[in-house]
Amino acid sequence: MRQLHFLHIGKCAGTYIKSLAAVINATRSDLRIIAHPHHVTLAHLPPGSEYFFSVRAPEARFLSGFYSRKRKGQPLYNSEWSPSERIAFGYFEHANDLAEALFTDGAEGSRAFAAMKSIEHLARDQTDYFRGLGFFLSHWPPVFIIRQEHFEADMRELYARLGLEGMPLQVVDPTTSKRARHGNDYSAVKPLSDTALTNLRRWYAQDEELLRQCNRWIAQAGKA
């Protein structure tokens, strides 16, 4: 049986991808997708094994990660704040407040730095999943990469590479008859200002570069 590992980078559509993987595992006997928890990185996988992962624009991932943890993961989960997260959300009500405070002088900047390193999802960069394996795209390439901003097109390409063209790209929750996707609408929250975006691009510079490298790899793999 062919085994394919999925690296679950937080706040990059991983929960929904896991739901799709469960359907595949239940209907196919020739393929097993092993969906890993957040703490598993590429270095944890058996050398040479097949894998895929998903990525997301850093500022969008930051926004999603902040409010997901502020809700304690609800409605899908209910994960209590850590002591440090409790302090962080006591200082910063909105994601924009935290992002604008980054790199500022004085106590506010110190609190922002501490909050970024305390809130789950914000504290772990996407590049952390490839630590020590910087040449992975050329020397241990994935089967494919899913970009959240191009989710359906990239999933279709992954399915094509796995011979799964007939498999659905949507999963319906039988208890609600709605699409089972762990996502939320952030249109009502305070938008990220130009200062916030500038600070986030500085903070997540390595993740910005990872996304550029992933886009380049996909283009070279024949999928622009």
Side-chain angles (χ1 to χ4, degrees):
M1 178 188 295
R2 184 178 184 181
Q3 291 189 336
L4 178 64
H5 297 264
F6 171 58
L7 295 179
H8 188 178
I9 301 175
K11 309 314 298 177
C12 295
T15 298
Y16 192 63
I17 291 172
K18 284 184 172 182
S19 69
L20 293 173
V23 173
I24 294 169
N25 289 342
T27 56
R28 297 292 293 254
S29 61
D30 57 338
L31 174 65
R32 178 73 177 177
I33 297 179
I34 304 170
H36 292 284
H38 290 307
H39 69 271
V40 174
T41 70
L42 183 58
H44 290 112
L45 302 188
S49 56
E50 291 191 302
Y51 71 97
F52 73 106
F53 61 93
S54 55
V55 291
R56 188 177 189 177
E59 62 272 16
R61 180 174 178 264
F62 164 82
L63 194 70
S64 176
F66 180 93
Y67 287 108
S68 174
R69 286 308 301 141
K70 187 177 180 182
R71 297 189 312 271
K72 302 180 182 179
Q74 296 176 8
L76 191 59
Y77 305 111
N78 185 17
S79 177
E80 283 296 327
W81 291 334
S82 70
S84 292
E85 284 179 319
R86 186 172 299 280
I87 296 171
F89 289 118
Y91 283 127
F92 300 102
E93 181 180 0
H94 291 290
N96 185 71
D97 301 336
L98 172 54
E100 284 192 335
L102 286 172
F103 307 113
T104 59
D105 294 329
E108 190 75 351
S110 296
R111 293 186 191 114
F113 175 85
M116 290 294 287
K117 304 309 293 184
S118 297
I119 298 173
E120 187 183 354
H121 301 312
L122 309 191
R124 176 171 288 191
D125 295 349
Q126 295 174 79
T127 54
D128 290 342
Y129 287 81
F130 311 100
R131 185 178 298 162
L133 295 167
F135 292 95
F136 74 97
L137 285 175
S138 58
H139 286 65
W140 188 1
V143 173
F144 204 62
I145 301 168
I146 310 301
R147 298 162 296 177
Q148 180 148 335
E149 292 77 14
H150 305 277
F151 184 83
E152 292 201 3
D154 289 347
M155 283 299 300
R156 290 187 189 282
E157 178 65 18
L158 175 65
Y159 278 13
R161 291 173 180 234
L162 297 174
L164 299 173
E165 289 90 338
M167 295 298 297
L169 282 174
Q170 296 187 3
V171 177
V172 175
D173 184 343
T175 64
T176 63
S177 298
K178 294 180 180 179
R179 188 171 177 176
R181 194 164 194 168
H182 182 40
N184 292 276
D185 180 9
Y186 299 107
S187 60
V189 306
K190 185 186 295 187
L192 295 173
S193 67
D194 289 344
T195 297
L197 288 170
T198 297
N199 288 345
L200 289 172
R201 287 163 186 154
R202 180 179 173 188
W203 183 273
Y204 289 119
Q206 291 186 62
D207 280 357
E208 294 276 2
E209 181 59 25
L210 173 65
L211 188 59
R212 282 191 289 269
Q213 293 296 326
C214 288
N215 285 330
R216 180 183 178 187
W217 182 89
I218 289 171
Q220 291 176 340
K223 179 95 167 76

